[in-house]
Structures are given as C-alpha cells and as structure tokens.
Amino acid sequence: MKSICVFCGSSYGTLEAYGEAATATGEAIAGKGLRLVYGGAKVGLMGMVADAALAAGGEVIGVLPKSLEEKELAHEGLTELHLVGSMHERKALMADLSDAFIALPGGVGTLEEIFEVWTWGQLGYHSKPCGFLNIEGYYDQLIAFLDHQTGQGFTKKVMRDMAQIASTPDDLIAQFEAYVPPSAPKWIGRDET
C-alpha cells in the first residue's frame, strides 16, 4: 500500500471532532510514509486532511474537475493537482492513484464516492480495501442499514464485510494493512459499465 484516498466533506460539519479526525487522518497517512489522494479542495474537511498531511511532510495529490476549480477553491499548495473534465474522470483517476479508500464524515458526494469504489471491489475490478472512519457515531445509522441490507438478502455477508469500520485513522489503516479481499467473481469487465 503506497497511497490512500480520502473521501470527505467540503464542509466542516457541526462537530469539532470531524475536523480533528480529518487532521489526524492526514497526519496518520503521512506518518506512515503513504501518499494522500483526495478531491483537491482547500475548504472543509478536504482542506484539513490535505493541510495536515502536508504539514507532516507527506505527499498530497488532488484531483478536481475544472468546473469545480473555483467553487471548491482548489488547493494551491499540493504536491500535484490534476484538473479533469468531469466527476467521472475525477473518481476514476482517484481510484487509479490509490491503494485504499477512507470515507470520513461528509455528504451525499462522499457516500457516492465510497459506495462506487466499494461496488467496484465487489465486482472484482480491484482488490483494494475500503472503509468508514466512524467519528462520534457519524456512520452508526448507515452501518446499521448495511447490516439490515445484508440480513434481508440484498448483500452477501462476504461483500458487506469488505467495508472496514474504525473510529481512529490508525485503526483503519491497520485493518487495511491486514486486509485480504474475498475471491469475488468478475461478473463484467470495467470497460462494460
């Protein structure tokens, strides 16, 4: 594992603990000599995770659609900033540059991003770990729903268990380091989606 992608809010959220977790995540990634890949903005939790990794001497790669360059206030102090043509290109490049994926607290976009890469793993497009950093119970209700979904027969337990869950970045990274992907069938090729 050389790079970890972090999906998170471009807002700060209501609890200071969310920002503290973003900072701790950036520090943990850099502290382990790993590269941070994220959405390229300097605002919200996105900016905090990037700033923390940079301050800890880490390498930070941002990926931002050109249409959001001004709206999301592109971070100008990154190791690299890739400007791409669409959200689809953003997610594909972030996935290609990363060996693991963390969802910090965030909104619908954060959920969409982590669910997409998790789905790709279920389909066998990659064998990279995905996880939720559950700060102050932020993801408790989502985790309960995922377990309900599994109980109702819509997600196999082996696929549900692909999503790692921890309350600290160090614990989540340790789970990633020990992750063994299930042998999932490749039902379709990535180019067929």
Side-chain angles (χ1 to χ4, degrees), residues 15-127:
L15 301 181
E16 283 186 29
Y18 301 148
E20 291 166 359
T23 297
T25 300
E27 291 171 348
I29 290 169
K32 292 196 173 285
L34 301 169
R35 179 175 64 175
L36 169 66
V37 176
Y38 87 115
K42 66 179 178 183
V43 295
L45 298 186
M46 293 173 72
M48 293 182 81
V49 72
D51 288 343
L54 289 166
E59 182 180 354
V60 181
I61 310 301
V63 183
L64 187 67
K66 291 174 188 168
S67 63
L68 295 179
E69 185 177 2
E70 290 182 20
K71 290 179 186 175
E72 289 196 1
L73 304 171
H75 197 302
E76 296 167 357
L78 304 178
T79 309
E80 292 177 35
L81 176 63
H82 298 272
L83 294 175
V84 296
S86 70
M87 290 295 286
H88 294 293
E89 289 177 51
R90 179 193 217 180
K91 291 182 295 182
L93 183 55
M94 290 169 78
D96 288 343
L97 293 172
S98 305
D99 301 312
F101 306 91
I102 293 175
L104 280 166
V108 173
T110 299
L111 293 176
E112 188 268 339
E113 290 166 330
I114 193 69
F115 278 120
E116 184 163 35
V117 294
W118 183 14
T119 300
W120 291 349
Q122 289 180 7
L123 294 173
Y125 297 162
H126 67 73
S127 57

